[in-house]
Amino acid sequence: MAKYTRVVDGGWNVCVGEQTPDQIDSVVEEWQRERPDLDLSALGIFARMKVFVAALGASMDHPLDQHGLTAGDFEVLSALRAAGPPCVLIPSQLSEKLMMSRAGITNRLDRLEAAGLVERRLDPSDRRSFRVGLTDRGRVTIDAAFADHVRNFARIASHLTPEQRQQLDDALRVLLRAL
């Protein structure tokens, strides 16, 4: 299970192997001792994923804060920018892309419009609807925030070899399909 071996050397637990054990290894070892009848091989993986996701969330917020954006603001601006020129979508498209309610989208759009990052205009082909687009300021903001966001991911991923990155990507893809 673990990629290390604990040996006692003069009364000390010494780790021999590729990885230094962490708190999660201790929890898994305790449960293995208490429940040797269970296969706990996945416990460490998912416990680390949970801790990683929590830490990643905090790490992702920092570059966005520097641009005055929340994660929700970033998602909306990213969806508009990724739509390509003229960076315009209708609210139902944003709702679908971001997998959230139209009311939630409306709240985000209100905030972004007040900040001068997006504008809403009536749809000329359907006056019952409107289109949401990036303002020039919104485009500059999302381009800078996205560049910082990607650099932050690259910094975190730099601790993995290219092979490890591909293996992790492949493994996560499989696990996501299993859900």
Side-chain angles (χ1 to χ4, degrees):
M1 187 160 72
K3 294 183 180 178
Y4 64 89
T5 305
R6 286 187 189 267
V7 295
V8 177
D9 180 16
W12 294 88
N13 280 333
V14 179
C15 300
V16 179
E18 298 175 25
Q19 300 290 331
T20 302
D22 58 19
Q23 187 175 1
I24 293 170
D25 290 317
S26 297
V27 170
V28 172
E29 285 178 5
E30 289 168 354
W31 275 108
Q32 191 64 62
R33 182 188 68 238
E34 295 301 315
R35 293 296 309 267
D37 57 311
L38 296 176
D39 176 7
L40 301 178
S41 60
L43 183 60
I45 294 168
F46 288 98
R48 281 186 186 82
M49 285 172 49
K50 180 180 178 185
V51 171
F52 179 78
V53 166
L56 181 62
S59 176
M60 286 173 50
D61 287 345
H62 180 69
L64 302 182
D65 290 343
Q66 293 178 323
H67 296 279
L69 300 175
T70 66
D73 297 339
F74 180 79
E75 289 173 356
V76 172
L77 296 175
S78 293
L80 290 168
R81 181 65 172 94
C87 301
V88 171
L89 295 170
I90 59 174
S92 61
Q93 291 170 315
L94 279 170
S95 179
E96 185 179 317
K97 282 183 177 287
L98 301 179
M99 296 178 283
M100 63 182 301
S101 72
R102 290 186 188 184
I105 291 292
T106 299
N107 290 335
R108 288 183 183 181
L109 292 177
D110 289 344
R111 247 189 346 266
L112 291 167
E113 190 172 37
L117 301 174
V118 301
E119 62 184 359
R120 292 184 258 202
R121 292 187 180 172
L122 283 175
D123 186 339
S125 63
D126 181 0
R127 295 194 50 86
R128 296 170 296 158
S129 183
F130 58 92
R131 295 178 174 270
V132 179
L134 290 175
T135 62
D136 290 341
R137 181 174 171 213
R139 185 175 179 134
V140 168
T141 300
I142 190 57
D143 282 351
F146 187 74
D148 288 347
H149 190 63
V150 169
R151 279 191 287 275
N152 188 40
F153 283 156
R155 178 188 59 78
I156 295 166
S158 72
H159 296 273
L160 300 173
T161 66
E163 290 169 341
Q164 289 172 322
R165 288 182 193 196
Q166 188 60 56
Q167 289 169 347
L168 180 59
D169 191 43
D170 292 344
L172 290 173
R173 184 174 282 115
V174 170
L175 291 174
L176 284 169
R177 286 186 190 131
L179 295 177

